[in-house]
Amino acid sequence: MKRLLFVATAIAPSLAFAQEQGPQPDTAMSYGQRPYYLIDKMEDGPLKEKLASCMGQTPQRTAFSVGHRGAPLMFPEHTVQSNRAAARQGAGILECDVTFTADKELVCRHAQNDLHTTTNILVTDLAERCTQPFTAATPDGGATAECRTSDITLAEFRTLQPKMDAADTTAETPQEYLGGTAPWRTELYTDGAELMTHAESIELFRSLGAKFTPELKSPSVEMPFDGFSQEDYAQKLIEEYKAADVPPADVWPQSFNLDDVRYWIENEPEFGAQAVYLDDRYDVPEGDGGIVDPNDPATFQPSMQELADMGVNYIAPPMWMLVTLDDAGKIVPSAYAEAANDAGLNIITWTLERSGPLANGGGWYFQSVEDAIDSDADYFTMLDVLAQDVGVAGVFSDWPATVTYYANCHGL
């Protein structure tokens, strides 16, 4: 029921907007080849039969499919082109990770300090402004750099060229450092990619018929920054939706900082009702309120019910926290998932299609079920458990077509 509510409130205004505006060339949808490629790799069984039976379906936009930084499996993240690709793959909600520049303007970047890996800043005149200029690799260590959006103004940010998020730590020159793209990603779609401000992302996503899930990123600078407090930062994000006349029901603001979520709940209750607590307590040492074991509810601090009592309605952990293996080696919901559902929390999860090829257990995002993961086809295996058994309300993906296909096939 929670999942249906999430989809209904998210997508109905989207369809209304499309009807008002008439046909939108940028919203023509296609699954492309990847979902079919994954289905072909699946072992015979009920799930493969179900997914194969939907091969003739017409793609439909769905809020169950959330574009994670757009579609960064093949497009530079947080660019106009990456988000157009995600929308064309049927993502009903798109993400702008929000950080700020030296003049306190909001822009879309995964981290405040990632310009050295996501843009060409190191081979521009702005390189000298970086917090940590480029240092070449030596026998004692790899190449390093750190360039922050807060090192430059918005006008200077606009001069940068985005690229695939990667770095070659064996580099001896800044030009070499710009390489390092994983072999299962691509450089085919980087030329001419365009950066975005947060306000520009709002207009783009609306034009694409999608809704909004901005993430307030943790600052790399000490706050307050030149008088700009954390509360000012959280409020400015909301103000840009108000200025664009975006209904609060179309926005799912996110943060890993529970204090940000509580700020929105208390100060912007209409937006706070859909604020998403991105749960990274798995990474907090025992004794500091961290989650030590997703299968031991006693370690959840605060508890799921305490989160609900604070007014939190949405929680978003990584996929692996929501699943475990039973005695027969089957993927099943974890105690964490069961506790979140028992507390009435809506669950969103991240990030499908971020792991590349799934041989040898699938890596970080599949760590709790690695013994059951041995093929790329297991993207659908994991997705099916998350949707049908855990009951998630939405799934972030680096290639939304996979989630869209599944959701369309199952009427989500």
Side-chain angles (χ1 to χ4, degrees), residues 74-147:
M74 292 191 180
F75 292 81
E77 64 186 45
H78 288 311
T79 59
V80 171
Q81 290 71 21
S82 185
N83 282 286
R84 282 180 178 158
R88 288 167 177 160
Q89 293 173 34
I93 301 176
L94 298 174
E95 178 188 45
C96 169
D97 288 331
V98 178
T99 188
F100 56 87
T101 59
D103 44 353
K104 298 180 282 260
E105 296 296 334
L106 303 185
V107 296
C108 299
R109 287 290 88 197
H110 178 62
Q112 191 168 48
N113 63 340
D114 73 1
L115 293 182
H116 52 289
T117 64
T118 63
T119 76
N120 68 335
I121 191 170
L122 290 178
V123 293
T124 74
D125 292 340
L126 294 172
E128 62 187 23
R129 304 271 293 282
C130 290
T131 294
Q132 180 185 342
F134 172 77
T135 301
T138 69
D140 297 324
T144 59
E146 183 182 358
C147 303

Side-chain angles (χ1 to χ4, degrees), residues 199 201-203 205-206 210-212 238-252 270-271:
S201 80
I202 294 172
E203 292 308 310
F205 297 175
R206 179 157 53 187
K211 299 310 170 190
F212 316 87
I238 299 300
E239 292 300 329
E240 295 199 342
Y241 289 95
K242 291 181 175 180
D245 293 323
V246 175
D250 293 347
V251 185
W252 286 263
E270 289 186 290
F271 287 92

Side-chain angles (χ1 to χ4, degrees), residues 20 38 44 68 110 121 125 202 212-213 233 266 280 298 313 344 358 381 400:
E20 291 170 4
L38 296 177
D44 291 342
H68 180 243
H110 178 62
I121 191 170
D125 292 340
I202 294 172
F212 316 87
T213 186
Y233 181 29
E266 293 165 11
D280 66 348
N313 292 318
L358 294 186
T381 306

Side-chain angles (χ1 to χ4, degrees), residues 44-269:
D44 291 342
L47 179 57
K48 181 173 183 176
E49 291 175 8
K50 172 63 176 176
L51 294 174
S53 74
C54 297
M55 285 187 176
Q57 68 187 358
T58 300
Q60 300 291 325
R61 193 171 316 285
T62 169
F64 188 81
S65 179
V66 186
H68 180 243
R69 316 182 205 177
L73 183 65
M74 292 191 180
F75 292 81
E77 64 186 45
H78 288 311
T79 59
V80 171
Q81 290 71 21
S82 185
N83 282 286
R84 282 180 178 158
R88 288 167 177 160
Q89 293 173 34
I93 301 176
L94 298 174
E95 178 188 45
C96 169
D97 288 331
V98 178
T99 188
F100 56 87
T101 59
D103 44 353
K104 298 180 282 260
E105 296 296 334
L106 303 185
V107 296
C108 299
R109 287 290 88 197
H110 178 62
Q112 191 168 48
N113 63 340
D114 73 1
L115 293 182
H116 52 289
T117 64
T118 63
T119 76
N120 68 335
I121 191 170
L122 290 178
V123 293
T124 74
D125 292 340
L126 294 172
E128 62 187 23
R129 304 271 293 282
C130 290
T131 294
Q132 180 185 342
F134 172 77
T135 301
T138 69
D140 297 324
T144 59
E146 183 182 358
C147 303
R148 302 174 177 175
T149 56
S150 53
D151 290 335
I152 59 177
T153 66
L154 175 58
E156 291 166 333
F157 174 81
R158 291 187 183 279
T159 68
L160 299 177
Q161 174 63 44
K163 70 178 192 69
M164 297 299 282
D165 183 13
D168 182 353
T169 58
T170 68
E172 297 182 358
T173 68
Q175 290 80 3
E176 293 173 346
Y177 189 81
L178 299 184
T181 299
W184 42 270
R185 294 184 184 269
T186 180
E187 301 287 348
L188 284 174
Y189 307 113
T190 59
D191 186 44
E194 304 164 75
L195 298 172
M196 297 186 297
T197 66
H198 176 236
E200 288 167 347
S201 80
I202 294 172
E203 292 308 310
L204 175 67
F205 297 175
R206 179 157 53 187
S207 75
L208 294 171
K211 299 310 170 190
F212 316 87
T213 186
E215 180 188 337
L216 196 74
K217 301 302 296 189
S218 298
S220 298
V221 296
E222 185 177 350
M223 299 293 277
F225 174 75
D226 190 25
F228 190 54
S229 70
Q230 185 69 24
E231 292 76 15
D232 294 334
Y233 181 29
Q235 186 63 43
K236 185 165 185 172
L237 181 148
I238 299 300
E239 292 300 329
E240 295 199 342
Y241 289 95
K242 291 181 175 180
D245 293 323
V246 175
D250 293 347
V251 185
W252 286 263
Q254 317 167 65
S255 180
F256 281 104
N257 184 344
L258 183 56
D259 288 340
D260 292 338
V261 175
R262 298 186 72 175
Y263 174 86
W264 291 321
I265 291 169
E266 293 165 11
N267 295 278
E268 291 288 350

Side-chain angles (χ1 to χ4, degrees), residues 338-363:
E338 293 171 349
N341 279 316
D342 288 346
L345 296 173
N346 296 280
I347 305 170
I348 309 169
T349 192
W350 43 278
T351 303
L352 205 74
E353 297 277 29
R354 189 151 187 85
S355 305
L358 294 186
N360 302 318

